[in-house]
Each structure stands twice: as structure tokens, then as C-alpha cells.
Amino acid sequence: MTPDCVVAVGAHPDDAEFFAGATLGNFAAKGAKVFVVICTDGARGGAEAGAALAELRRVEAERAALALGIRPPILLGRADGALEADEPLRRDLVRELRRLRPTLVLLHDPSTWWTPLRERTQLGHSDHRAAGQATLDALYPRLLLAGFYPELAAEGLSPWFAREAWLFDTAAPDHFVPVEEPGAAAKRGALSCHESQHVGGLLRGAAEIEEAFGKPLGVPAEAFRRLVLF
Ligand SMILES: [Zn+2]
């Protein structure tokens, strides 16, 4: 079943498409409204760290969203490498989730310290864990209860609930989505937009994960831990 509206929350400008690009692209191709919220500015993701890199990564993220066939990205602009699941971040996420009203939210698994792949181990990123934790904290209980952030209700952003949360970037997946067309090509196109990030490495890394987590299906897959909330 295709959800009406999907929001993916990523820590960095390339995370949502890296971990879930084919799934997001296929949801969009089937008519879902798909949005990506990017928590940090990505300013440390390269040799020339700083404001110029952040601006470049903003442009790359916008191109990637176009390539994926989704809406323009929503940028929260936190400092790369220093993300914390603090109250201001939770509130910003509740604001976007109340505005967009998704039925499905995709997010980093906040418990990922490392992920065993076939021949090596991928260490988790502190920004990824913080983005995942803040998103879970937004989904419950802050998104639901009018007692949180009455100033948002005054802006017309009333409480909302998402029916499901799918955790990507997880070492404990239980839900596997085959990487099928047209989302597969859209994902490769989106990853190729992140030219500041060594596109070849992104494509190889994504393929490695798809292969490792696709074993239960026998075909490349994106992997999630699926939480049915309501
Ligand atoms: Zn990242």
C-alpha cells in the first residue's frame, strides 16, 4: 500500500537517499507526497569544511530531491558533527511533522552504534543517532499532545500522529523493500548529485548495503526496522 505522505528525516544532506532512496523514489512514483528533512548543514563533510561547503551541499540536496522525484528538501541547518537530540531540535521536527502530516516517517535508528556488513563493520555516526532519537521523541509524545508547543497550535499546526515509523541505518532490520525500478534509477541519480561526497563511494556503499540486507529476499533491498504505531 502506498502511504499518502511520507517524511524521511536524515542527519546529513545525502542520508535519506543513501539509506532509503529507492523506497522513497518508488513511493513518489506511485503518487505519495514525499519530503526529506535534513537536520545538519553538512559543512564538515569534505576537505574544504565550512560555509561554502554547506551552501554547495544545499544545492546538491535540492538537485537530489529533483532526481528522486520528491518535494524540495527541508533544511534545519544544525551544525554538522554536533547534532544533539535537544528540545529545540525536537520542536523543529514536530513543527515540520505537524505541517506535513505524514502517515509514514522514515528515520535513522538511534540505537545504531555499528552495523555488521558482509566483510566489514560500518560504525554509526553520532549525528545519525541524534537525528533518530530526536525524531522518535517528536513522534511520541510531542507530536500527539496539544500540551506540547501551544505556540505551534496558534500557528494552525495542530497535533498529528504518524501510523508507522521505519528505521533505516539500522543493524536490526525486520522489513526489507526490494530495490526496484523506477526508484532504483532515481536513487542512483540522486546519489550522483552529491558531487562533494565522492559519488563512486556513495554508489558502492549503497550497493553494498542493498546486497547485504537483500539476502532474505534474494534480491538487493533497502532494510528497515518497522514500527507500527497506530
Ligand atoms: Zn550522514
Side-chain angles (χ1 to χ4, degrees), residues 7-8 75 89 97 103 107 148 161 166 170 174 202 221:
V7 172
L75 309 170
L89 180 60
L97 293 171
T103 44
L107 65 150
F148 283 93
F161 64 94
W166 293 7
T170 181
D174 59 5
L202 278 180

Side-chain angles (χ1 to χ4, degrees), residues 11-12 14-15 19 108 125 128:
H12 304 114
D14 52 356
D15 284 325
F19 291 107
H108 292 277
H125 193 304
H128 292 195

